[in-house]
Amino acid sequence: YHPHLMGKTAEQVYRGLAGMFIIEDDYSRSLAIPRDYGVNDIPLILQDRDMDREGTFAYKPSMPDVMHGYLGNRLLVNGAYQPILNIPRGTYRFRILNGSNSSIFRITMGDSAEFTVIASDGGFLPRTVRTSQLVMTPGERYEILCDFTEKGKGGLNVEIYGGARFEDAMTIAVGPEEGVFFSHPEKLDYEPVKPEVDSPRREFLMETGMMGRFTINGRAMDMNRIDFTVARDTTEIWTVANVPAGMMQLPHSFHVHDVQFTILSLNGLPPPPLLRGPKDTILLWPGDVYEIALAFCDYTGVYMYHCHMLEHEDGGMMGQFEIARGP
């Protein structure tokens, strides 16, 4: 969560107005996975900041920073620089949030050790995924399970695309004590959004202009304009594309308020396993095209969609849609 002050979101998030909600339901509480908060169920909010020798930082982005991302020289984990997590041996659940303004992170554990991904932005994956790395765009979330079986030190490593690499962004010191081990599930409960044959379709073209102008479908955000209306209790299919513009080969992300969506395809192919769970934020490299399915089944009102690289959002890459009562 974070504020959405028009034109000032990036600065307010950079100065600390961001955090994490953890939501549980009966199904998640029924699973035999770590859930002792702060003991073996641990949130990790990752944010890079540009700090001076005194440990202070200021938000003063130049035009290249706005275009390519405001990258930091320090990586904070839950607001701390190079923290140490002391744990007994056992299985641990990390809920990871890329809380940066615009940095894309590649995350690994220790010596490229494998871990199990159990959930994405909005809940559990249909099938868990074993991997040794995660690539996360700002606002994106994943939950992972890690086994620590031997005494010693490991760490969380984070690389910023186009920026620094932080070895041991967080040190994990495993003691000799025996903790609690859990088996890693293989299949979990996720019901994907299934669009109808005649579901309405919409297109969202994310385009980069000169001098920090960012648009969706050729229009910058206007608080006095509702871009389109959706009927409640309907399903839609949206095509989202990152349109390269000459030399402006910039990544973007796409985030939708109110609903989680199912990715139907990425560049015409089925989505990779990590992208088959409930999502509300996706990373688009230049030229990427996603097809997503959304079900508007709960609320009415006005909501936003935008790039979650916050300097791009403040530069205009955002729109509004209204969910209205159906017939």
Side-chain angles (χ1 to χ4, degrees):
Y1 62 86
H2 59 80
H4 249 285
L5 180 62
M6 185 71 175
K8 292 289 186 180
T9 298
E11 181 174 3
Q12 291 197 353
V13 169
Y14 194 83
R15 294 185 182 279
L17 291 180
M20 177 193 289
F21 288 116
I22 291 178
I23 299 173
E24 300 282 10
D25 60 14
D26 290 341
Y27 176 72
S28 67
R29 285 188 286 266
S30 73
L31 296 174
I33 56 177
R35 66 167 51 83
D36 193 352
Y37 179 82
V39 177
N40 59 14
D41 181 359
I42 300 170
L44 299 177
I45 302 175
L46 309 180
Q47 300 168 303
D48 59 322
R49 294 291 184 265
D50 191 21
M51 293 189 180
D52 60 24
R53 292 182 178 180
E54 285 71 42
T56 60
F57 57 85
Y59 183 73
K60 296 180 180 179
S62 64
M63 184 53 65
D65 291 328
V66 171
M67 300 298 287
H68 298 284
Y70 198 65
L71 308 183
N73 60 9
R74 296 289 188 273
L75 196 286
L76 305 182
V77 180
N78 295 346
Y81 178 59
Q82 293 185 329
I84 300 174
L85 177 65
N86 294 292
I87 58 173
R89 293 180 294 142
T91 303
Y92 291 82
R93 178 184 187 181
F94 295 114
R95 307 183 192 234
I96 307 174
L97 160 65
N98 180 346
S100 68
N101 273 39
S102 53
S103 296
I104 300 169
F105 294 151
R106 186 175 77 90
I107 298 166
T108 56
M109 298 292 293
D111 298 324
S112 298
E114 284 197 337
F115 47 84
T116 300
V117 184
I118 63 172
S120 55
D121 304 333
F124 294 110
L125 300 175
R127 299 192 69 88
T128 59
V129 178
R130 290 288 292 177
T131 185
S132 60
Q133 67 173 2
L134 289 173
V135 176
M136 299 181 66
T137 194
E140 199 169 17
R141 291 92 70 199
Y142 280 107
E143 289 187 28
I144 67 175
L145 297 180
C146 300
D147 288 330
F148 297 94
T149 59
E150 298 180 2
K151 177 183 176 182
K153 286 188 177 181
L156 176 78
N157 302 326
V158 179
E159 179 182 356
I160 299 178
Y161 281 84
R165 176 172 175 81
F166 301 97
E167 300 286 350
D168 293 340
M170 179 180 71
T171 297
I172 301 174
V174 183
E177 302 84 5
E178 182 77 14
V180 181
F181 284 91
F182 294 82
S183 60
H184 295 203
E186 294 184 5
K187 191 175 186 302
L188 294 167
D189 185 18
Y190 170 58
E191 185 66 31
V193 178
K194 296 178 180 178
E196 304 293 335
V197 174
D198 58 349
S199 291
R201 290 179 173 267
R202 302 185 193 274
E203 187 175 60
F204 301 81
L205 303 179
M206 309 184 77
E207 300 172 286
T208 303
M210 299 302 292
M211 302 304 291
R213 176 175 169 81
F214 300 94
T215 62
I216 299 178
N217 293 338
R219 297 194 290 186
M221 173 67 175
D222 183 344
M223 285 287 291
N224 298 312
R225 185 189 71 234
I226 302 296
D227 293 279
F228 59 90
T229 300
V230 173
R232 196 182 69 176
D233 299 324
T234 62
T235 300
E236 296 197 352
I237 299 173
W238 293 5
T239 300
V240 186
N242 180 355
V243 182
M247 297 296 291
M248 295 291 101
Q249 304 283 314
L250 301 181
H252 294 298
S253 61
F254 188 75
H255 173 64
V256 183
H257 287 215
D258 178 54
V259 297
Q260 301 291 320
F261 53 76
T262 295
I263 298 172
L264 302 177
S265 67
L266 169 57
N267 298 328
L269 300 174
L274 280 175
L275 297 182
R276 294 180 184 176
K279 296 287 292 175
D280 59 38
T281 306
I282 48 178
L283 170 63
L284 295 98
W285 296 107
D288 274 351
V289 179
Y290 282 82
E291 193 175 59
I292 62 177
L294 312 89
F296 302 94
C297 299
D298 297 315
Y299 304 106
T300 58
V302 177
Y303 298 92
M304 291 176 286
Y305 55 92
H306 58 84
C307 180
H308 217 295
M309 295 175 178
L310 300 183
E311 284 74 26
H312 296 179
E313 173 189 322
D314 283 349
M317 193 169 270
M318 180 163 58
Q320 300 182 104
F321 66 100
E322 184 173 9
I323 303 174
R325 295 184 183 275

